[in-house]
Amino acid sequence: MDPHKRSATIEVMTSDETIVGGGRYATDIDGYGAMLGYGRQFPERVWAVEGCRGIGRHIANRLLADGEQVVDIPPKLSARARIFATGQGRKTDATDAHSIALVGTRMSGLHPVVDDEQLTVLRILADRRRALGEDHTRIVAQLHHLLLELIPGGAKKDLSAAQAKTLLSRVRPRDAAGKTRRRVAAELIGDLERIYTRKKAANKELTELLKATGTTLMDLDGIRPSGAARLLIEVGDITRFPSKAHFASWTGTAPIDASSGDQVRHRLSRGGNRQINRVLHIMATVQLRNPGRGRTYYDRRKAEGKTSMEAMRALKRRLSDIVYRQLLADAATPAAAGPGGHSGAATDSSAAGSHPDTGTSEKSLPGPAELNATTGSTSDADHPSGRSRRPVPAPSRRRRQALSA
């Protein structure tokens, strides 16, 4: 299916890639009913819908509610299949539906779409919280622009509504333009106060829902409610990632091998899930603000000759591994329910805490990820955030060799 807001184009293909039908249907009640009735002519069927996390979400949810089996087709895969199938990049709804059907028939391991009510609620609240943050940023930018014209030198960068109100109370313009600027600035300050109240309420609601899932992501330094919710929404079942290297590739924090001949080099990955990459970037930025193991690791990489950007990428790669282990630990916890806990993880897995030093190997290990049994735990005083740390895995092979030497 190639879904759109008001229409959906489908193509019916058998396992040997024989086309046996198709059509274009509206997405209203009558059109959807006709499409569903047509699809049910085929007893054994799976709906391959492109972009179930985006434009295809509305129709995928309706199919799930009617008891249909749905798999998500990433747009990148269907785009590549379209180029190979047609020999050029031209796209129509019919060619898109054909390429989606090819991917659904040929590819194994496609992500099935599940009807998880708890995950759906998390997504709605997380999207709302992100929209409030974007509105806050936009209003602060407008307020800074007006204050720069009202106050010589403007205001400081991190400006709260209360501080802006204090600054504005000292301004008494006499001309009409100045009075208009002051009035609009006062309106923006009022909008900021309302957005702050809504953000606080949204964070509280997200926190309560996250506690109900049993996740411990917020124990990590730099992960707040919105970031934890985004991780659960986008990751889904963590056990679908066989290793931390696979997870890092999906988050866009693993470098891409660009070696050629005798020249060995790596370059920055521009792919991966950009929303999760953003969560990891915020996590790294928070850890760099205060002294701690994150900052120590960053400074050590710079002392080794890395640039600031390279050290930041290395830190994000380590934090990706830490988040992966934390999600595995949540999945192995019987009390974890909903999007925060999934069956199938190794029972001897353990979270490693929010430190980039945890697990010293930077090389990917072959096969599925298996964490070592824990050897102990640190006290609350040893944790830079003041919270208790989870048990630390046993030293890696390279660390044991270094200790023995």
Side-chain angles (χ1 to χ4, degrees):
M1 178 190 300
D2 178 36
H4 294 280
K5 184 178 180 179
R6 294 185 176 85
S7 68
T9 303
I10 66 172
E11 180 175 281
V12 185
M13 181 179 290
T14 61
S15 58
D16 59 357
E17 300 184 6
T18 301
I19 302 174
V20 295
R24 180 184 176 91
Y25 299 89
T27 56
D28 56 12
I29 296 177
D30 295 336
Y32 172 78
M35 182 185 68
L36 185 60
Y38 178 79
R40 284 178 173 173
Q41 296 179 17
F42 307 93
E44 298 181 2
R45 62 189 177 275
V46 177
W47 296 82
V49 182
E50 183 184 50
C52 290
R53 295 181 182 271
I55 190 60
R57 185 187 306 163
H58 71 103
I59 202 163
N61 290 338
R62 295 167 73 180
L63 289 170
L64 289 175
D66 288 324
E68 298 295 314
Q69 184 178 356
V70 182
V71 295
D72 183 20
I73 305 297
K76 287 185 178 180
L77 287 182
S78 59
R80 293 168 183 169
R82 183 179 67 249
I83 294 176
F84 282 115
T86 63
Q88 36 80 22
R90 297 176 185 175
K91 60 194 303 300
T92 63
D93 291 346
T95 56
D96 283 347
H98 179 67
S99 61
I100 293 166
L102 288 174
V103 173
T105 303
R106 296 174 179 175
M107 295 293 295
S108 60
L110 292 173
H111 186 54
V113 183
V114 296
D115 188 10
D116 192 327
E117 185 177 1
Q118 193 177 44
L119 197 63
T120 302
V121 174
L122 260 181
R123 182 187 298 276
I124 295 172
L125 294 179
D127 289 345
R128 174 57 177 162
R129 174 60 181 83
R130 180 175 58 184
L132 289 172
E134 293 172 350
D135 290 342
H136 180 273
T137 302
R138 175 179 53 82
I139 292 174
V140 168
Q142 295 176 356
L143 186 59
H144 270 291
H145 181 74
L146 291 174
L147 291 178
L148 182 60
E149 297 177 337
L150 290 170
I151 303 173
K156 65 176 186 177
K157 183 177 180 180
D158 298 326
L159 185 66
S160 66
Q163 292 169 342
K165 186 179 293 185
T166 301
L167 290 175
L168 197 62
S169 63
R170 303 170 184 170
V171 179
R172 292 289 185 270
R174 297 180 180 277
D175 59 316
K179 293 179 179 179
T180 303
R181 292 190 186 97
R182 190 183 187 281
R183 176 176 59 82
V184 174
E187 294 175 357
L188 291 175
I189 293 173
D191 293 340
L192 272 183
E193 292 175 335
R194 287 187 289 272
I195 287 179
Y196 175 77
T197 303
R198 293 174 183 173
K199 285 172 59 178
K200 188 176 180 180
N203 287 335
K204 181 180 179 181
E205 190 175 7
L206 271 178
T207 301
E208 293 175 353
L209 187 57
L210 287 168
K211 289 180 180 179
T213 66
T215 183
T216 59
L217 284 173
M218 286 188 295
D219 293 343
L220 300 179
D221 187 16
I223 298 290
R224 303 308 302 157
S226 57
R230 186 60 57 187
L231 281 167
L232 294 182
I233 292 167
E234 299 296 329
V235 172
D237 186 359
I238 187 60
T239 58
R240 66 191 178 101
F241 298 100
S243 68
K244 63 181 182 181
H246 189 179
F247 182 74
S249 178
W250 179 76
T251 61
T253 56
I256 298 176
D257 189 1
S259 304
S260 178
D262 295 334
Q263 183 181 15
V264 179
R265 59 182 294 270
H266 295 79
R267 62 180 177 86
L268 173 66
S269 172
R270 299 291 183 182
N273 189 303
R274 305 317 298 171
Q275 297 191 63
I276 299 303
N277 192 283
R278 180 176 181 269
V279 172
L280 294 175
H281 185 83
I282 294 174
M283 185 180 181
T285 302
V286 171
Q287 294 201 10
L288 290 180
R289 289 177 179 173
N290 303 307
R293 296 195 178 184
R295 183 74 203 189
T296 301
Y297 175 80
Y298 175 85
D299 292 339
R300 185 170 72 246
R301 297 312 298 265
K302 288 196 67 177
E304 293 173 356
K306 301 290 186 181
T307 65
S308 299
M309 293 296 294
E310 290 172 341
M312 184 66 164
R313 294 169 191 166
L315 177 59
K316 288 171 63 177
R317 176 64 175 86
R318 284 297 175 88
L319 295 179
S320 174
D321 295 345
I322 291 168
V323 169
Y324 176 74
R325 286 192 289 267
Q326 194 84 355
L327 288 170
L328 276 183
D330 289 344
T333 304
H342 305 274
S343 60
T347 56
D348 60 346
S349 301
S350 64
S354 59
H355 305 308
D357 301 290
T358 307
T360 57
S361 176
E362 292 188 65
K363 296 182 179 180
S364 304
L365 299 178
E370 295 182 359
L371 302 180
N372 295 327
T374 59
T375 58
S377 60
T378 59
S379 63
D380 293 354
D382 294 332
H383 196 285
S385 63
R387 292 189 292 264
S388 60
R389 285 187 59 186
R390 289 180 167 270
V392 180
S396 64
R397 179 180 177 184
R398 183 163 57 184
R399 178 180 291 180
R400 290 197 302 269
Q401 292 175 348
L403 292 175
S404 63

